[in-house]
Amino acid sequence: MKLIAGLGNPGRGYANNRHNVGFMCLNYFAKKQGIRFDKKQGKARIGLGEIAGNKVVAAKPQTYINLSGQSVCLLVKKFDINLNDLFVIHDDLDLPLGKIRIRLGGSSAGHKGVNSIITELGSQDFIRIRVGIGRPNIIGGSTEISEADIVAYVLSDFTPEEKQTIARVIPRVSEAIVSLLTQGLVVAMNEYN
């Protein structure tokens, strides 16, 4: 059984935020695979499916992104998921807009949702599918971006130009998930990183 968790904030007001790119990617993937988010379990909206012989739980935690670990940990226990079979899709400030990076383990790199998952699981050993959202532009002569600037940026919607880039990357994330499921981590990393 594989658990694929897309990170984001629940509610219409957040639907198009940069921080919700994990939800956007998982929604697209689920639709392509005929998975419907028709159950509520483990503080998440989940859908069950099967892809190339792999049983899959697609999950959108409803805890707000900074507490994603509560939901992911409950689902890992409920479905008895091996951490190598946990895929987490999330936004990444340190990647240029539209870039994808797949990796196993590592730190949260400051992402509060990923940090919450690491804390709740007591482990970093799960697969991340990082989707680049870039960093906010610095206005004025300052070189420092404040925490408040970062929060405002990730909780704002993509610009029309950025939406075009994201619309192209979302199907690639879906393909990358299928590649992870059918060909494994190394092949997926080589193809999509």
Side-chain angles (χ1 to χ4, degrees), residues 1-191:
M1 177 88 66
K2 312 281 186 189
L3 173 59
I4 307 166
L7 302 191
N9 287 311
R12 286 209 175 116
Y14 297 103
N16 298 306
N17 288 179
R18 292 177 175 92
H19 228 6
N20 274 40
V21 81
F23 275 9
M24 294 172 197
C25 292
L26 192 60
N27 285 339
Y28 181 93
F29 168 79
K31 191 170 185 181
K32 286 291 272 188
Q33 299 299 329
I35 296 170
R36 292 179 38 232
F37 294 100
D38 54 1
K39 294 177 178 56
K40 286 186 179 174
Q41 232 165 29
K43 297 184 180 181
R45 293 192 51 214
I46 69 166
L48 305 175
E50 191 168 319
I51 296 148
N54 293 289
K55 289 194 164 134
V56 169
V57 181
K60 296 190 289 184
Q62 301 295 292
T63 53
Y64 290 96
I65 206 162
N66 293 358
L67 300 173
S68 298
Q70 292 177 3
S71 172
V72 170
C73 191
L74 287 169
L75 293 168
V76 163
K77 287 177 182 164
K78 164 106 181 107
F79 292 101
D80 196 24
I81 303 290
N82 181 315
L83 291 190
N84 289 338
D85 294 327
L86 168 61
F87 308 163
V88 176
I89 311 165
H90 65 90
D91 59 296
D92 194 312
L93 285 163
D94 294 324
L95 285 177
L97 181 72
K99 292 285 179 209
I100 303 170
R101 286 285 175 281
I102 301 168
R103 75 171 192 198
L104 172 65
S107 77
S108 67
H111 192 290
K112 290 183 172 65
V114 175
N115 193 55
S116 171
I117 294 169
I118 291 169
T119 301
E120 293 286 337
L121 293 176
S123 174
Q124 300 180 347
D125 298 333
F126 53 90
I127 293 170
R128 292 84 184 282
I129 303 169
R130 300 157 47 212
V131 182
I133 61 168
R135 287 195 162 267
N137 293 325
I138 302 168
I139 298 166
S142 172
T143 55
E144 279 298 305
I145 301 173
S146 72
E147 181 72 15
D149 290 337
I150 295 287
V151 170
Y153 179 74
V154 299
L155 293 180
S156 63
D157 290 356
F158 288 108
T159 66
E161 297 79 31
E162 290 170 337
K163 275 185 190 162
Q164 291 178 355
T165 302
I166 290 300
R168 287 192 297 273
V169 81
I170 287 173
R172 281 191 54 76
V173 171
S174 182
E175 290 165 16
I177 297 167
V178 173
S179 177
L180 279 165
L181 292 169
T182 57
Q183 298 175 92
L185 180 64
V186 173
V187 171
M189 286 172 66
N190 286 338
E191 193 168 341

